[in-house]
Amino acid sequence: MQKMEITAPADVRLDVMVAQEGAVSRSQAAKWIADGLCSVNGKVQKKAGFSVKEGDAVAFVIPDAVESTVEKENIPIHILYEDEDVAVVDKPCGMVVHPAAGNESGTLVNALLYAMDSLSGIGGVKRPGIVHRLDKDTSGLLMVAKNDMAHESLSRQLSERTMEKHYLAVVEGVMKEPEGLIEAPIARSKKDRKKMAIDPEGRYALTKWTLIENLRDAALLDVHILTGRTHQIRVHMHSVHHPLAGDVIYGYSKGGVRAPRLMLHAHTLDFTHPRTDERLHFEAQPPEAFQQAVEKLRIK
């Protein structure tokens, strides 16, 4: 176990501070807090939303990683880049990233464990390696950490927004403006727990979109997410009445643009290498099915 002791530099939520200092997600930080691993001014605090005041003494324990029970599987994956610290893969549409109930095998993690000698162990489980996720039906670039040093660095770049991620998206309806900014907090939907929704009490979320091309009753966009919330692009574009084509969760229930898949692809990824400080840039063209769907929608 590793113990961290910090003096709060400003007023902040406890889970936010633990997530930043521990280089983990807020959900992971909240779990540590709920498990009694955090204290404020010497008193154990189990509420993730507890308000830490400037100057408070915050301490928390990062538990030792446990062995993963995930099985290695010889599943072909496209690795664009790999060194001793990081890897970048091009995830196909339809592949789940992490094993979960109903998807215990055939995931990207199963494939990574077979393809790579080591993955990071931050978050309590050895060798998961995943720094950020993509939805099952989203294709494209995804970062992998191969050791804890890399995981900490890449997670910090995510939280500090120095990592840049752009997506190609086809949305319903033509766009009247060349670009736009969507700033709206996102939380778990109170009506349907399987969905996310715009919620004033949710987490801050910011999405910038730029029009590439108007299509027939649709538009091809470059979407730059400046925060990384679950289903962020899907929820934000739906909120401005331009849901993603092929989105069976947030899209139009009747009519709309016909698409063979969710029309969202992680197109470019920029980050600073955790060891060399070199700025790296990666691009991945969308799969053939995506490109064919765009071509069919082009105005002849």
Side-chain angles (χ1 to χ4, degrees):
M1 291 189 176
Q2 178 184 1
K3 187 172 183 180
M4 304 284 288
E5 297 180 346
I6 310 104
T7 300
D11 294 358
V12 66
R13 280 175 57 114
L14 180 58
D15 57 348
V16 171
M17 184 172 184
V18 172
Q20 290 176 344
E21 297 297 331
V24 295
S25 67
R26 275 178 65 179
S27 60
Q28 180 63 63
K31 185 178 185 305
W32 290 347
I33 294 167
D35 289 343
L37 299 179
C38 302
S39 66
V40 179
N41 296 326
K43 183 178 180 180
V44 173
Q45 179 54 250
K46 293 189 175 184
K47 292 184 178 180
F50 180 80
S51 181
V52 176
K53 303 301 182 184
E54 182 179 354
D56 281 353
V58 178
F60 63 94
V61 174
I62 299 176
D64 292 334
V66 298
E67 287 294 342
S68 170
T69 58
V70 180
E71 297 292 332
K72 299 179 181 181
E73 293 185 52
N74 186 7
I75 303 170
I77 52 174
H78 185 196
I79 301 174
L80 279 72
Y81 175 85
E82 181 181 6
D83 61 27
E84 63 180 323
D85 299 306
V86 300
V88 177
V89 301
D90 187 357
K91 187 188 86 67
C93 174
M95 176 178 272
V96 174
V97 172
H98 269 293
N103 290 291
E104 289 85 4
S105 63
T107 73
L108 182 63
V109 168
N110 294 109
L112 289 172
L113 288 172
Y114 183 91
M116 298 180 185
D117 293 333
S118 63
L119 297 175
S120 70
I122 283 182
V125 179
K126 287 185 178 179
R127 308 198 309 168
I130 303 300
V131 179
H132 66 110
R133 304 186 188 189
L134 294 177
D135 295 340
K136 173 183 177 182
D137 294 322
T138 301
S139 56
L141 296 172
L142 188 143
M143 258 180 333
V144 177
K146 298 185 67 178
N147 53 58
D148 291 357
M149 179 278 292
H151 200 134
E152 290 174 355
S153 172
L154 296 174
S155 295
R156 186 164 285 108
Q157 290 180 51
L158 272 173
S159 65
E160 295 176 353
R161 303 176 195 168
T162 58
M163 183 179 297
E164 189 164 336
K165 297 185 289 182
H166 287 254
Y167 293 72
L168 292 176
V170 175
V171 299
E172 303 268 1
V174 298
M175 308 302 287
K176 297 180 180 179
E177 302 294 333
E179 61 182 18
L181 198 64
I182 305 171
E183 188 174 15
I186 294 174
R188 183 72 57 183
S189 171
K190 295 181 175 66
K191 296 180 179 179
D192 184 346
R193 302 303 292 175
K194 295 180 180 180
K195 299 173 66 174
M196 307 300 288
I198 302 299
D199 187 333
E201 298 179 356
R203 298 177 67 188
Y204 177 78
L206 183 62
T207 302
K208 180 180 180 180
W209 62 265
T210 303
L211 176 64
I212 297 175
E213 178 183 2
N214 270 322
L215 306 168
R216 189 171 61 251
D217 300 320
L220 176 62
L221 309 179
D222 173 282
V223 182
H224 178 202
I225 57 171
L226 292 100
T227 52
R229 310 304 176 216
T230 300
H231 294 180
Q232 178 173 323
I233 296 174
R234 300 164 74 176
V235 173
H236 270 178
M237 295 314 301
H238 177 268
S239 74
V240 295
H241 311 294
H242 289 282
L244 293 181
D247 193 340
V248 298
I249 298 178
Y250 301 98
Y252 294 133
S253 58
K254 295 182 180 179
V257 174
R258 296 184 63 181
R261 51 159 287 182
L262 176 68
M263 296 299 286
L264 185 63
H265 174 75
H267 177 50
T268 69
L269 175 64
D270 294 77
F271 62 91
T272 300
H273 193 282
R275 188 179 300 273
T276 67
D277 287 333
E278 179 186 1
R279 191 68 177 172
L280 302 178
H281 171 79
F282 299 94
E283 295 186 13
Q285 293 302 312
E288 186 175 350
F290 188 108
Q291 297 186 50
Q292 289 178 346
V294 172
E295 185 59 33
K296 288 182 179 179
L297 290 168
R298 283 203 164 97
I299 301 170
K300 305 300 181 182

